[in-house]
Amino acid sequence: MNSSRLLIIGALFSIAACRSKDSLFEKIASSHSGITFNNSIVENDSINPLNVTNIYNGGGVGIGDFNNDGLQDIYFTGNIVPSKLYLNKGDFKFDDITAKAGVEGMGRWARGVAVVDINNDGLMDMYICNTIYKDSLLRRNILYVNQGTDKTGVPHFKDMAAEYQLDINVQSTMAAFFDYDNDGDLDMYLTVNEASNGYNSSVFLERNKSNTGPNRGRLYQSQMDPGWSRFHDNLRSRDRSRLSEIHW
């Protein structure tokens, strides 16, 4: 290969490199965006990687237009720190409206958040998975149902997990809502990750065919009630037929 060909190839690579810069992401400083959320964890005698191996699995991020103004808002879930909802004001600037919206997270260790219009009213809601704490009341998942906006355009939310029978208190990680049986209403798949000091995350676990393992995922099938779908764990209450947990 002669030197002229090498020069041409080098020039083409230079042009390609210059063009690729146009597609790179641009970092927006927190001083401009107003987003200062920090999922900081302070270890102690009971909350540390030796006693709870998955404490650094992190939180979740939910993106949705919660006030229907055409701009995508951001919700961050916190582990020890409160969760935060930032309202998009345009030009990559956001306002922290957590307290006004009522979505701090109730002092629970939150992981994933699913953004879903659970009651089909045109307003985006949030389902938050909670975990870690031994107290089952502090592990109950939260369903923040959007109640609409006030005169300043701030959306307000109400926890209605119990009404929808979604106040599940296992070691939840993430939920996905979808219509798996094509009956026109939303079902839900819940991932579970229960870790303790006896759990070795580096060891592959074989499939538990008995469906009794603590880390077993759960599929919930909904049946419509007037106004919303109700969800419940069929393992706890088999006489309820509104929604059953599906096994395989």
Side-chain angles (χ1 to χ4, degrees):
M1 184 179 292
N2 58 38
S3 58
S4 61
R5 289 184 178 180
L6 288 175
L7 288 174
I8 293 173
I9 293 173
L12 290 175
F13 274 114
S14 298
I15 293 172
C18 291
R19 288 182 176 178
S20 65
K21 291 182 180 180
D22 295 335
S23 63
L24 294 179
F25 292 97
E26 178 184 355
K27 181 179 179 180
I28 305 298
S30 59
S31 58
H32 176 87
S33 70
I35 297 177
T36 58
F37 176 79
N38 180 11
N39 190 30
S40 176
I41 295 177
V42 178
E43 297 180 16
N44 56 42
D45 290 341
S46 58
I47 301 297
N48 58 73
L50 295 179
N51 292 334
V52 186
T53 60
N54 63 347
I55 66 169
Y56 288 108
N57 277 16
V61 181
I63 308 294
D65 183 4
F66 296 109
N67 61 349
N68 286 342
D69 65 351
L71 300 173
Q72 298 297 308
D73 312 304
I74 306 177
Y75 185 75
F76 295 93
T77 66
N79 297 158
I80 295 177
V81 302
S83 300
K84 292 288 185 180
L85 176 59
Y86 290 92
L87 195 68
N88 193 337
K89 307 301 291 184
D91 191 30
F92 297 103
K93 295 182 179 180
F94 296 81
D95 285 344
D96 181 354
I97 61 166
T98 309
K100 294 179 181 178
V103 290
E104 296 90 343
M106 304 181 185
R108 300 171 193 178
W109 191 297
R111 281 269 161 80
V113 50
V115 177
V116 56
D117 182 3
I118 199 165
N119 53 2
N120 198 30
D121 65 351
L123 300 172
M124 300 309 295
D125 315 300
M126 295 183 289
Y127 186 64
I128 300 165
C129 291
N130 298 304
T131 185
I132 293 293
Y133 293 123
K134 294 181 179 180
D135 185 349
S136 62
L137 295 179
L138 294 177
R139 293 200 311 267
R140 287 182 300 178
N141 292 345
I142 299 170
L143 176 62
Y144 281 132
V145 176
N146 197 330
Q147 305 297 299
T149 59
D150 59 24
K151 60 182 180 181
T152 64
V154 172
H156 293 260
F157 295 81
K158 178 182 179 181
D159 177 27
M160 298 184 67
E163 287 86 340
Y164 285 77
Q165 297 177 343
L166 283 173
D167 53 338
I168 303 164
N169 60 10
V170 298
Q171 302 278 3
S172 303
T173 296
M174 185 60 192
F177 291 85
F178 63 107
D179 183 10
Y180 93 93
D181 53 1
N182 290 326
D183 65 351
D185 53 13
L186 288 173
D187 311 297
M188 187 264 284
Y189 184 80
L190 183 70
T191 59
V192 181
N193 183 15
E194 181 174 338
S196 63
N197 57 354
Y199 172 75
N200 187 347
S201 58
S202 64
V203 176
F204 176 78
L205 300 178
E206 294 183 1
R207 179 181 178 185
N208 188 338
K209 295 182 179 179
S210 65
N211 288 320
T212 59
N215 291 315
R216 176 176 55 85
R218 304 184 177 197
L219 177 62
Y220 292 83
Q221 181 188 40
S222 67
Q223 293 182 357
M224 292 296 291
D225 265 0
W228 61 66
S229 299
R230 287 180 183 267
F231 300 76
H232 75 86
D233 186 344
N234 196 39
L235 292 177
R236 293 198 302 263
S237 180
R238 291 187 178 273
D239 59 341
R240 297 181 181 179
S241 59
R242 295 185 184 277
L243 182 121
S244 59
E245 183 181 344
I246 307 301
H247 307 274
W248 60 89

